[in-house]
Amino acid sequence: MGNGGSSFDGVPRELVDFVRRHIRNNLVDRSAGRRSTREVDLVPALVQPIDAHFRAVGEPFPGVAHDRSTLDVELVHDQPFEGRLVALKMQLGGEDVIAVAEVEWSKNLGPYYNVGANFVATLDHFPNRQDATWFLTNDANASGTLHYAPVDSSP
């Protein structure tokens, strides 16, 4: 059981050790009835809860992906969150990947949380709270209406 070639910097050591023990103690063949091949190894992930427009909601936190395929992922983390969507920054196959996943189920796993989620999109950058700004329109059709717009990062 490897670690996907990724560093666990930033992920609490206790979380990584817990997931390793959990996998070792509960290793079963989960491929029966699955639509895709499973990878059971540890991959550190930065988890960012997001809204339906892929905007960051709250602060990102570390997690460990441990059962994944090209369609879905199982992730253990130590932060409860509301919502159904998360952006995950992981290194897979030696490349950084930023994926959006929709949470299908969530349960307590000892002192941590375990979620199963389906991948629904990929992003070209990791969402954060500085990615967006709100402004007031002054047009004739909208008096004081808030609109969302990406921050212009051009020089």
Side-chain angles (χ1 to χ4, degrees):
M1 174 178 22
N3 68 2
S6 302
S7 168
F8 285 94
D9 293 343
V11 179
R13 177 84 180 167
E14 299 81 23
L15 175 58
V16 175
D17 291 344
F18 179 88
V19 175
R20 279 193 176 116
R21 283 191 309 275
H22 172 72
I23 292 172
R24 186 176 54 245
N25 295 337
N26 298 289
L27 194 57
V28 294
D29 183 4
R30 295 179 163 190
S31 60
R34 299 282 185 139
R35 297 177 294 169
S36 59
T37 304
R38 311 299 301 169
E39 294 287 335
V40 181
D41 61 356
L42 303 183
V43 177
L46 183 59
V47 182
Q48 173 64 67
I50 57 175
D51 66 15
H53 301 285
F54 300 166
R55 295 180 300 222
V57 178
E59 298 300 321
F61 52 86
V64 178
H66 64 90
D67 183 8
R68 62 187 164 72
S69 74
T70 56
L71 301 174
D72 56 10
V73 65
E74 200 168 318
L75 180 77
V76 178
H77 57 90
D78 63 0
Q79 299 291 317
F81 66 91
E82 298 287 326
R84 303 278 300 165
L85 292 173
V86 292
L88 303 172
K89 183 176 183 179
M90 304 180 286
Q91 193 174 76
L92 301 173
E95 294 190 33
D96 285 338
V97 175
I98 302 168
V100 174
E102 182 176 13
V103 175
E104 291 295 317
W105 56 264
S106 179
K107 64 181 179 179
N108 290 339
L109 185 63
Y112 300 106
Y113 303 92
N114 195 27
V115 298
N118 295 320
F119 294 122
V120 296
T122 57
L123 300 175
D124 59 359
H125 72 281
F126 195 72
N128 62 55
R129 296 186 82 126
Q130 286 71 43
D131 277 346
T133 187
W134 293 93
F135 63 92
L136 288 170
T137 63
N138 291 321
D139 61 48
N141 296 327
S143 176
T145 302
L146 284 173
H147 289 275
Y148 169 77
V151 171
D152 183 4
S153 60
S154 60

